[in-house]
Amino acid sequence: MSRSDNPVYDVFVIGGGINGCGIARDAAGRGLSVGLAEMNDLASATSSASTKLFHGGLRYLEYFEIRLVRHALEERETLLRAMPHISWPMRFVLPYHPDMRFEGSTPTSRILNAVMPWMKGRRPAWLIRFGLFLYDSLGGRKILPSTKTLSLRGTPEGAPIEERFEKAYEYSDCWIEDSRLVVLNARDAELRGADIMVRTRVVSASRVDDLWQVTVEDTMSGEQKQLSARMLVNAGGPWVGDIIQQKVRINSTEGVRLVRGSHIVTRRLYDHDKCYFFQGTDGRIIFAIPYENDFTLIGTTDAEHADPDTAPRCTDEERDYLIDFVNQYLREDISVEDVVWSYSGVRPLYDDGASSATAATRDYTLKVDDTGGAPILNVFGGKITTYRKLAEDAMDKIVPFFSGTSGHWTAGVPLPGGDFAVDGFDMLVTRLREDHTYLSEFWARRLVRAYGTDSWDVLGDAPEEAALGRAFGATLTEREVRWLMTREYARTAEDVVWRRNKLGLRLTDKEVADLDAFMREQWPTLQPEAAE
């Protein structure tokens, strides 16, 4: 739909995380007029603070969450085909030792303790292998290789691991650049007609006759405006409850449980490109994952988080917990000095009354309220791997309120820049370097990982590096920054170096400050172009 001073949308989405942007894209692709408001930057909360994996959730099998795991496993390859630039297969190494234990509250552990009390909470090898068999089988795997048993003696996978671990199981999952996934869904939604409004806070929303009257505020200018919608979607993530109670003021017995997950990033801890799945003596698990070429990502924790307005951070206790955890496995211990960055996000899990944060369901719940007139859909929970299915299920609840909408369409449809083969990444890098000979291997791979086939658009017809304008460091240039501002909703240096990419790991504080000053100076002269 065209932008106007007082637009009337079919669907207005509150929240620019992965669920909100996924729903906006699906709805716009079905011909509905869609608006979306995000009070900060896209993916500025939970959706940029994940463990960066499209995975089925191996540990959720212990909670008998078969539906969740099956959906996630089915989705891995569907998503991989649609975004081979920002998602790719990875192999996970699960070292085994007879002393490994369950997290004590799982249904599986309670059953095993009842029938095999002599195990005293330990995970037997046959049970792990059976779980991996289910993991291979539930999702109709076609692209990803199956599980195998791996020796850790004299192998690259065993080199960084303590000698007491003699064997491991190796299975498949996928990496995902989480914040880029959100931005690309938003871009695709806008290309299909949606209005994407960042730095736009919903002040209030009320039912008037058969419409929602919504007041929004530009958080940078303070300007307010009114808009209308036939249906609201509350995809506020950690703020979903606040939106229900404070913004739209409806009665609901549903709620979210806020669980903080923290991660640390260290120097690179090993040479190969596989990930580790480590099981702790407390029954919890963490991952150690190759990250941004020169680093290792370690996480995550599970801790209750009381207030969505309190910014999550990795506490010293969580940092030390993760360090101690991996040191139970590594031959060479790491310390606080090895940590180069940490981040933390709040998972808005559906409150199912579970006894612990770890046990709380990662599945989603969708509730429609139309008791007072115009309907609202509230989105509770969810995980990044199942975002597209969540959007489809959300649309199944939305389309009954609208006539003439089309059916499911998003499976396998590429996101912007993802229109190439799953195994075509290296070929794309080669082509980009042939067309732009000044690019280093690192630079070209970074661009293709971020933009895929849009990399040529980002660089334009620049015949030499100097034609890309000002250099901000670590291969980031003025041409790319302008592209991010006009096509990908970036407003500040933080948007660029921590969410559109991770160059914050490589830039100095001064370089980031210079970038921020440039962007603030240039923004008034730029016009967004994402919908062109």
Side-chain angles (χ1 to χ4, degrees):
M1 66 172 288
S2 60
R3 294 171 176 80
S4 63
D5 292 336
N6 296 289
V8 179
Y9 297 101
D10 290 327
V11 176
F12 189 78
V13 181
I14 305 173
I18 187 53
N19 290 336
C21 291
I23 292 170
R25 179 196 185 218
D26 198 328
R30 300 187 195 217
L32 297 176
S33 58
V34 178
L36 179 147
E38 164 55 47
M39 63 181 175
N40 298 305
D41 182 30
L42 296 175
S44 57
T46 304
S47 295
S48 61
S50 75
T51 312
K52 326 297 183 190
L53 298 176
F54 275 154
H55 67 115
L58 179 60
R59 74 179 182 87
Y60 305 146
L61 289 175
E62 292 186 2
Y63 293 90
F64 299 160
E65 296 229 34
I66 304 300
R67 173 187 175 274
L68 171 65
V69 175
R70 182 191 300 113
H71 276 184
L73 291 172
E74 289 170 348
E75 278 295 280
R76 288 181 311 178
E77 297 192 9
T78 299
L79 298 173
L80 186 60
R81 290 186 178 95
M83 53 196 79
H85 48 333
I86 63 170
S87 181
W88 56 92
M90 296 185 106
R91 294 290 279 175
F92 286 74
V93 177
L94 193 167
Y96 176 75
H97 191 275
D99 287 337
M100 287 176 171
R101 297 185 179 276
F102 287 99
E103 199 277 319
S105 63
T106 71
T108 302
S109 68
R110 291 195 293 269
I111 292 172
L112 200 69
N113 287 339
V115 300
M116 301 174 65
W118 59 89
M119 293 298 296
K120 298 180 179 179
R122 293 191 297 271
R123 281 184 174 101
W126 64 262
L127 186 65
I128 294 176
R129 191 63 187 86
F130 178 66
L132 288 166
F133 168 76
L134 289 178
Y135 205 68
D136 280 345
S137 306
L138 282 172
R141 176 182 48 82
K142 294 182 176 65
I143 298 174
L144 301 175
S146 61
T147 298
K148 69 177 184 179
T149 302
L150 183 72
S151 172
L152 295 178
R153 292 292 176 88
T155 61
E157 296 85 355
I161 303 299
E162 289 184 358
E163 289 187 5
R164 64 191 178 95
F165 297 99
E166 298 182 5
K167 75 172 183 177
Y169 302 106
E170 182 180 300
Y171 68 96
S172 293
D173 264 324
C174 297
W175 178 264
I176 178 61
E177 298 286 355
D178 53 4
S179 53
R180 290 214 54 76
L181 175 66
V182 178
V183 170
L184 294 182
N185 269 272
R187 275 193 65 206
D188 201 54
E190 190 161 4
L191 288 165
R192 298 175 190 276
D195 287 348
I196 305 297
M197 302 166 236
V198 298
R199 300 298 197 296
T200 301
R201 181 174 68 92
V202 173
V203 177
S204 64
S206 58
R207 289 173 166 126
V208 179
D209 298 325
D210 293 327
L211 293 175
W212 284 98
Q213 300 295 333
V214 184
T215 301
V216 297
E217 178 182 85
D218 185 316
T219 61
M220 299 186 82
S221 69
E223 178 185 353
Q224 292 190 354
K225 69 176 182 179
Q226 307 294 316
L227 53 86
S228 302
R230 296 178 179 88
M231 186 170 189
L232 282 188
V233 173
N234 173 9
W239 291 271
V240 64
D242 176 72
I243 292 168
I244 291 172
Q245 297 163 15
Q246 305 298 325
K247 308 299 185 187
V248 302
R249 296 178 297 279
I250 61 173
N251 292 321
S252 174
T253 59
E254 309 292 332
V256 293
R257 183 172 190 166
L258 302 181
V259 176
R260 186 177 66 252
S262 295
H263 302 75
I264 58 175
V265 175
T266 69
R267 59 178 175 80
R268 185 167 182 165
L269 300 180
Y270 51 88
D271 294 332
H272 60 79
D273 61 358
K274 296 178 182 178
C275 314
Y276 287 103
F277 179 117
F278 292 149
Q279 302 177 82
T281 55
D282 60 356
R284 292 210 66 252
I285 64 98
I286 64 169
F287 297 102
I289 310 172
Y291 189 60
E292 295 290 319
N293 297 302
D294 301 316
F295 306 95
T296 299
L297 172 64
I298 299 169
T300 182
T301 60
D302 275 324
E304 302 286 354
H305 192 81
D307 182 1
D309 290 324
T310 299
R313 70 176 187 88
C314 180
T315 65
D316 290 349
E317 291 76 15
E318 288 175 302
R319 177 203 63 200
D320 293 344
Y321 171 83
L322 292 172
I323 290 172
D324 291 343
F325 202 134
V326 296
N327 284 345
Q328 296 171 30
Y329 281 82
L330 298 179
R331 293 187 189 220
E332 296 184 13
D333 285 356
I334 63 170
S335 67
V336 173
E337 286 69 33
D338 293 304
V339 178
V340 298
W341 183 48
S342 65
Y343 67 88
S344 188
V346 176
R347 309 182 195 100
L349 307 181
Y350 180 64
D351 191 353
D352 61 352
S355 60
S356 70
T358 302
T361 182
R362 267 56 175 174
D363 213 343
Y364 55 83
T365 297
L366 308 172
K367 296 288 185 178
V368 173
D369 182 304
D370 61 352
T371 55
I376 179 172
L377 171 66
N378 295 306
V379 180
F380 301 93
K383 61 197 296 284
I384 198 165
T385 312
T386 53
Y387 89 89
R388 192 196 64 83
K389 288 294 294 181
L390 182 152
E392 280 190 344
D393 290 348
M395 291 306 302
D396 287 345
K397 293 184 176 293
I398 291 171
V399 294
F401 295 95
F402 301 94
S403 60
T405 58
S406 56
H408 296 176
W409 66 273
T410 57
V413 176
L415 289 174
D419 51 338
F420 64 97
V422 170
D423 59 356
F425 173 80
D426 289 332
M427 183 177 68
L428 218 59
V429 171
T430 299
R431 279 181 47 209
L432 189 66
R433 293 194 72 190
E434 289 173 348
D435 292 345
H436 299 274
T437 55
Y438 50 85
L439 294 178
S440 67
E441 180 74 10
F442 169 83
W443 192 352
R445 293 181 72 86
R446 182 183 73 77
L447 290 175
V448 175
R449 275 291 175 226
Y451 310 110
T453 56
D454 281 342
S455 299
W456 280 263
D457 223 7
V458 173
L459 295 172
D461 57 1
E464 57 187 14
E465 184 175 344
L468 297 173
R470 182 174 173 180
F472 294 99
T475 72
L476 183 66
T477 65
E478 181 177 337
R479 177 73 65 91
E480 183 178 354
V481 172
R482 288 180 178 275
W483 200 90
L484 291 171
M485 295 176 73
T486 57
R487 303 290 187 90
E488 291 199 359
Y489 321 100
R491 299 289 183 271
T492 69
E494 181 182 349
D495 300 348
V496 172
V497 305
W498 290 117
R499 285 184 285 277
R500 304 308 181 276
N501 54 58
K502 290 296 183 288
L503 292 179
L505 290 167
R506 303 176 185 278
L507 294 169
T508 66
D509 290 344
K510 182 180 185 307
E511 287 171 330
V512 174
D514 289 345
L515 171 63
D516 199 59
F518 170 83
M519 293 177 68
R520 293 182 187 279
E521 177 186 312
Q522 293 297 313
W523 173 244
T525 69
L526 298 176
Q527 292 296 319
E529 301 172 3
E532 293 184 358

